[in-house]
Amino acid sequence: MPSQLFLIAADGSRTEVDPKHKFEGLTIDWRGEGSVVEIHEGAKFRGSKLILGHRSTVRIDDSRERGVFDGVVVWLGGAGAVDVNLTIGHSFSMFGGGQIFLRDESKLSVVIGDDVMISTNVVIQASDGHIIRDASGEMVNAAHDPSIVIGDHVWIGRNVLINKNVRLPLGTIVGSGSVVTKKFETENAAIAGNPAKVVREGLFWERKHNI
Ligand SMILES: CC(C)(COP(=O)(O)OP(=O)(O)OC[C@H]1O[C@@H](n2cnc3c(N)ncnc32)[C@H](O)[C@@H]1OP(=O)(O)O)[C@@H](O)C(=O)NCCC(=O)NCCS
């Protein structure tokens, strides 16, 4: 089954375009079949790349005055993985060499809400990439479904790793250099460290600029 590319208009309507359609600032590397990519006409990119294996779906909403800039790589499928899904809400910003990986394991999904701000050098990885088994041969490191949920208005600081099976609720701030390994429940909290833990609660952050 061939892959399909759709442009989403401001009124939400979808128009199918040739998968070779050129987006300014975004290279799409189609490496498999049966993928569906939906990109809002207001999504902005600069120097970024989307790599797709088999049966992957990606939906990227309107970036408004923000975007995905300067060397961000988003990689779905690969190494036999199929049925992986990434959704990114509106007003998203990510820049400076970050990576989002949904590779190596099937049925992975990552959901990123609205108004999420991601600093430089952040890696979001929905699976461990390799298999760990217990003595009975059971796989013990499978990703949950969804593997990663990043809520609305979350700020992820510099050099952060987001591992599998993570949830960041509304308003979370992730301190620089943190390694996030689990689901958090408290909204509007700062989490930090390796492994990340709640360090402050009742915080409300705002953007000073759009990069
Ligand atoms: C997370 C952050 C925003 C919190 O700032 P804050 O509210 O002023 O918090 P504080 O500095 O009072 O720190 C609270 C506690 O968390 C700890 N902490 C803060 N940031 C930490 C981090 N990145 N890693 C580990 N621990 C951290 C502090 O040591 C302190 O611990 P204590 O209570 O035991 O003394 C800030 O520390 C941070 O990481 N800033 C960098 C943001 C960034 O990457 N910006 C790039 C541009 S987008």
Side-chain angles (χ1 to χ4, degrees):
M1 190 184 162
S3 293
Q4 293 174 287
L5 176 61
F6 294 90
L7 290 180
I8 310 295
D11 64 3
S13 59
R14 297 194 325 167
T15 305
E16 186 166 2
V17 295
D18 190 316
K20 293 193 188 74
H21 177 87
K22 298 274 180 244
F23 287 92
E24 192 181 337
L26 179 70
T27 304
I28 304 182
D29 183 352
W30 304 91
R31 297 190 184 177
E33 296 193 331
S35 292
V36 177
V37 175
E38 299 180 334
I39 298 183
H40 194 283
E41 61 185 16
K44 293 182 199 63
F45 306 94
R46 188 172 63 221
S48 294
K49 190 167 184 174
L50 175 59
I51 304 172
L52 295 149
H54 294 290
R55 285 181 11 216
S56 310
T57 65
V58 179
R59 187 182 166 100
I60 302 176
D61 207 341
D62 188 351
S63 320
R64 303 192 179 161
E65 61 272 38
R66 294 156 195 157
V68 178
F69 298 144
D70 302 339
V72 172
V73 175
V74 179
W75 193 336
L76 290 89
V82 293
D83 300 331
V84 299
N85 308 298
L86 170 67
T87 308
I88 297 178
H90 69 69
S91 309
F92 178 69
S93 65
M94 180 166 184
F95 75 114
Q99 292 148 21
I100 303 177
F101 289 126
L102 294 84
R103 277 178 46 93
D104 309 314
E105 197 172 318
S106 293
K107 298 185 167 45
L108 295 172
S109 70
V110 171
V111 181
I112 299 177
D114 296 329
D115 189 27
V116 169
M117 180 172 81
I118 301 186
S119 186
T120 55
N121 219 21
V122 168
V123 177
I124 296 173
Q125 49 182 45
S127 72
D128 289 338
H130 300 276
I131 297 170
I132 305 172
R133 297 186 195 279
D134 64 15
S136 70
E138 198 75 24
M139 182 176 174
V140 294
N141 66 329
H144 300 165
D145 186 14
S147 178
I148 297 174
V149 178
I150 298 176
D152 295 341
H153 192 59
V154 166
W155 168 17
I156 300 179
R158 248 182 253 292
N159 299 328
V160 168
L161 288 180
I162 308 281
N163 283 353
K164 70 179 191 300
N165 303 339
V166 159
R167 176 174 179 268
L168 299 175
L170 172 78
T172 302
I173 302 165
V174 184
S176 50
S178 299
V179 180
V180 186
T181 59
K182 64 173 193 172
K183 295 178 172 65
F184 288 85
E185 304 298 336
T186 309
E187 295 181 355
N188 302 306
I191 65 171
N194 179 6
K197 295 185 176 8
V198 173
V199 293
R200 288 186 73 181
E201 294 185 30
L203 301 179
F204 301 88
W205 66 270
E206 51 198 72
R207 292 182 196 245
K208 280 188 81 173
H209 53 79
N210 292 313
I211 298 172

